[in-house]
Amino acid sequence: MIRLVVADDHPIVRAGLLALFGSEPDIDVVADVPGPDEAVAAAQRENPDVVLMDLQFRARTTTGADATRRIRALDAAPYVLVLTNYDSDADILAAVEAGASGYLLKDAPPHELTTAVRAAAAGESALAPVIATRLLDRMRAPQVSLSSREIQVLELVAAGRSNTEVAADLFVSETTVKSHLAHIYSKLDVSSRTAAVSAARRRGILRQV
Amino acid sequence: MIRLVVADDHPIVRAGLLALFGSEPDIDVVADVPGPDEAVAAAQRENPDVVLMDLQFRARTTTGADATRRIRALDAAPYVLVLTNYDSDADILAAVEAGASGYLLKDAPPHELTTAVRAAAAGESALAPVIATRLLDRMRAPQVSLSSREIQVLELVAAGRSNTEVAADLFVSETTVKSHLAHIYSKLDVSSRTAAVSAARRRGILRQV
DNA sequence: GTGCGAATCGTCCTTTTGGACGATGCCGTC
DNA sequence: GACGGCATCGTCCAAAAGGACGATTCGCAC
């Protein structure tokens, strides 16, 4: 019998997961909690085999990645599966770095969830097919990383500042700003400031406001 | 007995809603469907009192707002409640314009859902408290409100499209796009596209990606 | 110490954007 | 039926942004 803890702030999603695993004879949901801190507590208290955890929690400072890290640091730590709506690079990276053994999407078919839980309980890794594909793409495609100065420029641009204003803010010439922007465009494969901001947000390079 | 149709592309959410309404004696879920087109079909076939519908469907061209519009155009049309993750002005506006009688958030407590369904069945409007608050704020401070067309333009601009591209996307001339942008700038008190996007995000006019 | 990326600054030129005037048709309100 | 807001289209011009060449200096890695 696999002991499972479910952590998600949406009551509807928790109800759905309970219903789903309720019909699986070999999976027992021993706790369902609405927040990351409660998840860590439950992981200590219930001694589960697997924790299924959301990444985003509204109105919480702790993220799912933080909670994952803390759970994986426990003695006899359970495996953690991350379950989220988004498949952004930044999110996946955060989850993997925190020690998750799987990354699942909320719109996945139910059987993907149950097989993933069983795989995780057996100590194996479990990625949603979509995510696996994306990771492979990522490996194939060269990693884009902006320098800290470039990010600084892009943040000001995202805030709506003009090249002249950015130059004044950073005490450099407008030429320099344009030069940074040209590099940013080339790295992100775009050709305008709005497209750059949009691409950077999508990839988690800029704060998601 | 309230006949309810549930439309959401996440199997987990559908399972959760089924479990939730399963324990309500006066609500009968007569169909649960994964897409907007199926929702319209079910609304015709099952003759429900209320349709509970997601706004965003992955990998579909039809949006929840489109489906809502089509359902409300039926004979003996059921009431439509929109259920979504986001509370941006653009989404709310789209839903209301499409004829939704309520707007609910997925992280709402279950009782909000059931009371909203009962209210909708009785022909009343039902808004999540968060949304109601936002609408009231909007009424009190009506200083900035973009027209739906303007929001549409701004969304494309935020996605990094140029004026020419936006014009092509919306089947209008570039002059028209520039005219919309000029109005947007004046309303938001800015003078560039990036500043407009930034201001609109800050005020919740655009979704906080 | 050679090479490389980063940060800085230049010029010249083209494209895009924004501002300042227009104009028309439609719809809803008063 | 007049008025205002919205959406549509136009021209002309100035400013901003972007592309295509440059260039130097400074670290840091090999």
Side-chain angles (χ1 to χ4, degrees), chain A:
Chain A
M1 190 60 119
I2 301 172
R3 295 172 61 80
L4 180 67
V5 167
V6 168
D8 197 297
D9 56 346
H10 295 32
I12 301 171
V13 173
R14 283 205 308 281
L17 292 172
L18 284 179
L20 212 89
F21 292 118
S23 58
E24 299 296 321
D26 59 334
I27 300 177
D28 186 19
V29 180
V30 293
D32 69 290
V33 295
D37 301 318
E38 293 91 326
V40 177
Q44 263 176 318
R45 176 167 31 84
E46 302 288 348
N47 191 39
D49 300 297
V50 181
V51 177
L52 188 59
M53 163 109 63
D54 193 2
L55 259 194
Q56 289 88 21
F57 290 93
R58 296 208 166 201
R60 299 288 183 112
T61 51
T62 326
T63 70
D66 296 335
T68 301
R69 218 182 312 275
R70 280 159 58 201
I71 290 175
R72 292 297 299 161
L74 294 177
D75 294 336
Y79 296 104
V80 177
L81 283 177
V82 163
L83 175 73
T84 179
N85 272 314
Y86 309 102
D87 56 350
S88 82
D89 283 11
D91 284 347
I92 300 175
L93 216 66
V96 170
E97 275 177 3
S101 44
Y103 192 99
L104 303 165
L105 292 178
K106 282 191 188 169
D107 56 357
H111 71 86
E112 255 184 41
L113 284 186
T114 52
T115 54
V117 168
R118 292 197 185 95
E124 297 161 14
S125 290
L127 290 179
V130 191
I131 304 300
T133 310
R134 176 182 284 264
L135 279 184
L136 288 183
D137 285 351
R138 220 189 135 84
M139 309 269 288
R140 272 193 286 270
Q143 175 81 269
V144 282
S145 76
L146 301 190
S147 75
S148 64
R149 194 60 159 173
E150 285 164 350
I151 292 180
Q152 216 175 350
V153 169
L154 195 51
E155 273 170 351
L156 289 168
V157 168
R161 314 281 288 164
S162 72
N163 289 350
T164 323
E165 289 170 336
V166 173
D169 288 349
L170 300 181
F171 303 107
V172 296
S173 82
E174 192 189 339
T175 308
T176 304
V177 173
K178 293 174 84 168
S179 167
H180 284 311
L181 279 175
H183 290 141
I184 293 172
Y185 295 166
S186 137
K187 285 183 181 178
L188 296 180
D189 192 29
V190 297
S191 56
S192 79
R193 50 214 294 115
T194 43
V197 169
S198 158
R201 267 194 225 287
R202 199 167 0 93
R203 304 198 193 190
I205 295 169
L206 284 184
R207 205 175 79 251
Q208 308 288 318
V209 180

